[in-house]
């Protein structure tokens, strides 16, 4: 540690107390990166654990004064390196700020600190007959602060949207330590610019979210009806997705996995899946009672019309959860085959089949296993490249296949990220998707809010050249 | 016209053609202001009617070069002076850019130019079995560009949200004439900052929206069920609103009007309303068939539990439309009594009754008729002050009552504007609601995107002192 570093670490310790500031290498290494394989990461000089907004203010004031970069993070469940550490900087871990400050049934909202685990909020509001929909796969350990920073999605999005659709207001500590409040407690409000949604999804590059007011929904029916269908071609699968869109039925879930995933899951779970199917769809309705049965009946008709080999549905929640478990097992099943590089491309719903076929072609071209799973109902696909991370050639081919998938997504009118974010992993691709004018507008906003560039540098927006 | 003005008007005419540039006083006066009584307005030196994005670029390049302010506008249905002209500036009327460029049933979206009238899009997508929910009262003449600039709401919001909830992407001409594309065609996407929602609701102060990609929904059921209920106290009315929220029923409409409105409407329509009721609720379900009947049955139960004097519901769409017509007539009925100053405050849903009672007290205090109507289901209320605009004392009292209503809204945890916007009318109040840090962040963003301050100056954000 340099003398300069020692000076500001001492200041930090004075401000937050010794328990909240750690510089030992086992700690700094443990907080250096998220779940993204192959994303750049440095090593923080210090890891801080603020316990209050006041602590966050103290950190940002001090970091501003000393020109030290600050990387905010939660549980580290991210998938693009957005909370990866910067060498010599401060990594600010917000997991100690984990209070659900309020649940109001009368105004159907909750007020939370950023360290609350997604599932903890879901459980807290369920007790009041309410529902917080965004459900990233890591919902039982990821934090809401991370969900907000990344604008996380999940399986619910086809019916219920993403994190930003549930954010009424925020408390944000700015780069210079000032505390900004955005938004409101009311359902509607148009007083000034939509700063709330500017901060949501900005990946910690514009401010540190220290509190959020979240809209809730009435709890859905507790008797979901679940459908599974298999298809001999991805074209048939795509036809179902498209016909669901045009039918007007909005399932609460419409998930897909391809043959590679089906076989990997069947190998792991011995679930007696159709190993020759090209694709498997899992759909669910939470409309309740007769409405749910009617929705699933319509989905059954659409699957059959597309030529499904098998369509099965069940109103038994336990059996439904088993069907869903196969889909949820897709990623762990692929992880048994090697290292995985998980991509995240959203395409227009009419292009889902073309995208799956394109990923197959990329798999052949680069000689790598690529399993495609995803949220078919909203076009958000997760092609997952399996490779041997100890083999330099395979690593290189995996990265090339990763890029080819992004290229394919853009060529179909899609986006390089539907829900995982940009982080360090896709910062160059972001510039390509949004073009020079938008990149310049991004930089202007970043410079306006964080002129010294200390907030999560290198993520999302690259500095002006 | 000064020589300087003459120079840039000549440049404009060269760029856009003489048909698209008007300086005659009858035209400049006609485009000087929107529908907001008592909002500041200047007189434009020129009114331009661009026919394409290229025309808008030409106007902005020229305005930047000459340092001329530009006020974008649509049909002029606004209610806060947000499109009111600036003396000596350019008013840019976007009504000629009125093409629906695409309606895609497969991807459930539409691409539109800003001059498309809200109802024209509704009709165009209805033909494809689709639905564009945002429905401001002026939906049959307001333009989508204005809806986007103001983030308009309407009667649908309790179930379907507001304009920003339907915007996937934008084309925006920046102050310096560069063309920015934001967002995407996909359902989900988190590539970069949410610039789309930064521009939506920015009231023309950050850029000129020249194209929008809008998400659509499946058309709702065509057999709405409608309920009307009257109450002896506003407390009972508030109890219904609160119990609807906690019940989990989400009606497609839940509107309120108070005794002042009831009597004014009854005088105008001879509708045999209960003139002694303190408040009247109109609710609707568009869930279709048995689901709609079940929702209205539950709302009936909640109204009766609150002690309603009368509850009546109908599955006959024509009769339902008659019930709704009474609510829609509230504003025109008040306008028969004098000039009106229409306010727009959103409060937490649990505070609706307190807000109505508070408006009654303000009415007594200032000796003016104030009718309260609004979107009870989302807490967005429109207290409407009736006064004699030719009487200086009444004008002064009307403005004081207007401020007292905003003060009341803020004191109840509400916002000074739920859906009408800030414009010139509430720019000072905005500073008060959001506080100095947020005001400074607003100005930083404004300065980053429009450093010369030529886009709709004086609206929303005041210049640094």
């Amino acid at each position: 540690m340099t003398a300069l570093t020692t000076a500001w670490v001492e200041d930090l310790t004075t401000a937050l107390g010794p328990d909240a500031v750690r510089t030992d290498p086992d700690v700094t290494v443990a907080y250096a990166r998220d779940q993204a394989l192959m994303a750049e990461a440095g090593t923080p000089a210090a890891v801080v654990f603020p316990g209050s907004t006041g602590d966050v203010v103290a950190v940002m004031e001090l970091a501003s004064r000393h020109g030290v970069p600050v990387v905010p993070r939660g549980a580290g469940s991210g998938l693009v390196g957005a909370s990866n550490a910067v060498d010599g900087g401060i990594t600010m871990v917000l997991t100690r700020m984990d209070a659900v400050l309020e649940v109001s049934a009368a105004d159907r909202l909750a007020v939370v600190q950023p360290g609350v685990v997604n599932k903890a909020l879901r459980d807290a509001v369920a007790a009041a007959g309410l529902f917080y929909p965004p459900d990233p796969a890591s919902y039982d350990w990821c934090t809401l602060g991370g969900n907000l920073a990344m604008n996380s999605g999940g399986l619910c999005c086809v019916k219920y949207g993403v994190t930003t659709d549930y954010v009424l207001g925020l408390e944000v500590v700015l780069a210079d330590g000032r505390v900004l409040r955005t938004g409101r407690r009311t359902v509607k409000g148009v007083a000034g610019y939509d700063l709330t949604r500017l901060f949501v999804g900005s990946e910690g590059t514009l401010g540190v979210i220290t509190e959020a007011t979240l809209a809730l929904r009435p709890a859905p029916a507790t008797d979901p009806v679940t459908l599974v269908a298999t298809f001999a071609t991805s074209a048939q699968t795509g036809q179902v997705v498209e016909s669901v869109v045009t039918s007007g039925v909005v399932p609460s879930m419409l998930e897909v996995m391809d043959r590679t995933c089906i076989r990997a899951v069947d190998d792991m779970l011995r679930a007696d899946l159709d190993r020759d199917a090209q694709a498997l769809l899992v759909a669910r309705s939470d409309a309740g009672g007769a409405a749910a049965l009617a929705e699933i009946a319509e989905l059954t008709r659409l699957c059959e019309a597309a030529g499904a080999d098998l369509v099965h549905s069940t109103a038994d929640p336990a059996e439904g959860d088993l069907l869903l478990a196969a889909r949820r097992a897709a990623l762990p099943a692929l992880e048994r085959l090697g290292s995985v590089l998980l991509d995240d491309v959203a395409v227009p719903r009419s292009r889902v089949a073309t995208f799956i076929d394109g990923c197959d072609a990329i798999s052949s071209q680069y000689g790598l296993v690529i399993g495609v799973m995803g949220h078919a109902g909203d076009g958000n696909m997760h092609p997952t490249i399996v490779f041997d991370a100890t083999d330099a050639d395979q690593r290189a081919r995996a990265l090339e296949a990763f890029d080819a998938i992004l290229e394919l997504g853009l060529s179909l009118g899609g986006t390089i990220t539907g829900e995982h974010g940009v982080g360090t992993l896709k910062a160059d691709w972001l510039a390509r998707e949004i073009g020079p004018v938008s990149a310049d507008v991004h930089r202007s906003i970043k410079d306006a809010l964080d002129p010294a560039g200390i907030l999560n540098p290198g993520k999302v927006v690259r500095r002006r050249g």
Side-chain angles (χ1 to χ4, degrees), chain A:
Chain A
M1 201 178 291
T2 67
L4 271 174
T5 304
T6 308
W8 63 253
V9 168
E10 276 174 17
D11 286 357
L12 265 181
T13 308
T14 306
L16 271 65
D19 270 6
V21 183
R22 303 289 296 275
T23 56
D24 20 329
D26 58 327
V27 174
T28 56
V29 163
Y31 288 95
R33 52 165 56 249
D34 66 12
Q35 302 294 302
L37 207 63
M38 307 220 258
E40 306 159 22
T43 305
V47 179
V48 301
F49 300 85
S52 66
T53 299
D55 283 353
V56 176
V57 168
V59 174
M60 294 314 305
E61 285 179 347
L62 198 147
S64 279
R65 203 160 58 239
H66 291 276
V68 183
V70 176
V71 179
R73 64 169 272 161
S77 61
L79 294 165
V80 292
S83 65
N84 282 4
V86 172
D87 273 331
I90 297 168
T91 284
M92 187 195 288
V93 185
L94 292 145
T95 49
R96 287 192 190 172
M97 293 176 66
D98 63 352
V100 176
L101 301 170
E102 180 187 355
V103 176
S104 166
D107 289 318
R108 216 187 273 152
L109 58 79
V111 182
V112 299
Q113 289 188 311
V116 174
V117 168
N118 180 294
K119 183 173 186 301
L121 176 65
R122 300 169 79 80
D123 292 345
V125 307
L130 295 167
F131 176 40
Y132 177 69
D135 60 345
S138 55
Y139 74 99
D140 55 353
W141 66 288
C142 65
T143 62
L144 293 167
N147 296 175
L148 291 160
M150 306 307 289
N151 190 14
S152 302
L155 303 187
C156 73
C157 309
V158 59
K159 182 165 180 177
Y160 293 110
V162 297
T163 299
T164 197
D165 298 316
Y166 294 89
V167 190
L168 295 173
L170 297 173
E171 179 187 80
V172 179
V173 178
L174 299 174
D176 58 11
R178 286 179 302 162
V179 179
L180 169 71
R181 292 206 74 103
T182 74
R184 53 187 202 276
R185 279 176 68 91
T186 56
V187 180
K188 287 160 79 177
V190 291
Y193 300 155
D194 190 350
L195 299 181
T196 302
R197 278 154 161 170
L198 180 62
F199 284 98
V200 173
S202 66
E203 304 192 5
T205 64
L206 300 180
V208 182
I209 295 170
T210 48
E211 188 186 297
T213 302
L214 302 173
L216 305 171
R217 293 181 63 101
T222 52
D223 51 350
V225 184
T226 310
L227 169 149
V228 62
T230 57
F231 301 89
T233 70
S234 44
Q236 292 171 329
T237 318
Q239 185 187 324
V240 172
V241 173
E242 205 170 325
S243 63
V244 169
V245 173
T246 52
S247 74
V249 174
V250 181
S252 62
M253 200 177 286
L254 181 56
E255 297 288 310
V256 67
M257 56 186 192
D258 72 354
R259 181 182 291 173
T260 303
C261 295
I262 294 169
R263 292 187 173 185
V265 168
D266 198 52
D267 288 339
M268 184 169 86
L269 298 184
R270 307 280 169 206
D272 204 21
L273 300 177
D274 176 1
R275 298 176 63 91
D276 292 325
Q278 180 58 39
L280 179 150
L281 286 176
V282 183
R284 182 167 265 192
S285 170
D286 66 358
L293 292 170
E295 286 189 355
I296 293 296
E298 174 67 3
L299 294 179
T300 299
R301 199 185 64 72
L302 297 174
C303 288
E304 287 169 349
D309 287 325
L310 170 145
V311 191
H312 171 68
S313 65
T314 177
D316 176 37
E319 189 192 355
D321 286 348
L322 274 180
L323 297 176
L324 193 57
R327 161 66 185 90
R328 287 197 191 271
L331 185 57
L334 291 176
E335 285 171 336
R336 288 172 11 126
L337 307 181
S339 293
V340 299
L341 195 52
L342 179 62
D343 216 328
D344 167 50
V345 169
V347 294
R349 286 171 287 195
S350 58
R351 311 311 295 274
V352 166
T354 310
F355 182 76
I356 294 175
D357 287 341
C359 290
D360 263 5
I362 291 168
S363 170
S364 303
Q365 185 182 347
Y366 293 95
L368 292 169
V369 171
I370 301 179
V372 182
M373 64 194 88
H375 316 304
D378 54 43
N380 189 185
M381 307 299 285
H382 297 306
T384 303
I385 303 163
V386 182
F387 65 104
D388 178 353
T390 64
D391 177 331
D393 175 58
Q394 284 207 25
R395 284 177 70 99
R397 277 186 283 138
L399 286 172
E400 284 172 25
F402 187 83
D403 284 353
I405 290 167
L406 296 178
E407 180 73 49
L408 171 65
L410 289 182
S411 75
L412 296 176
T415 172
I416 57 161
T417 173
E419 60 184 6
H420 293 175
V422 174
T424 54
L425 201 60
K426 293 181 179 171
D428 293 333
W429 275 95
L430 177 70
R432 180 148 168 207
E433 173 169 337
I434 66 179
V437 174
S438 180
D440 197 54
V441 169
H442 275 75
R443 282 190 293 262
S444 297
I445 290 171
K446 168 73 171 168
D447 291 346
L449 290 176
D450 177 21
I454 61 169
L455 269 169
N456 211 5
K459 317 300 165 57
V460 188
V461 190
R462 302 293 196 194
R463 304 279 321 210
R464 279 187 170 88

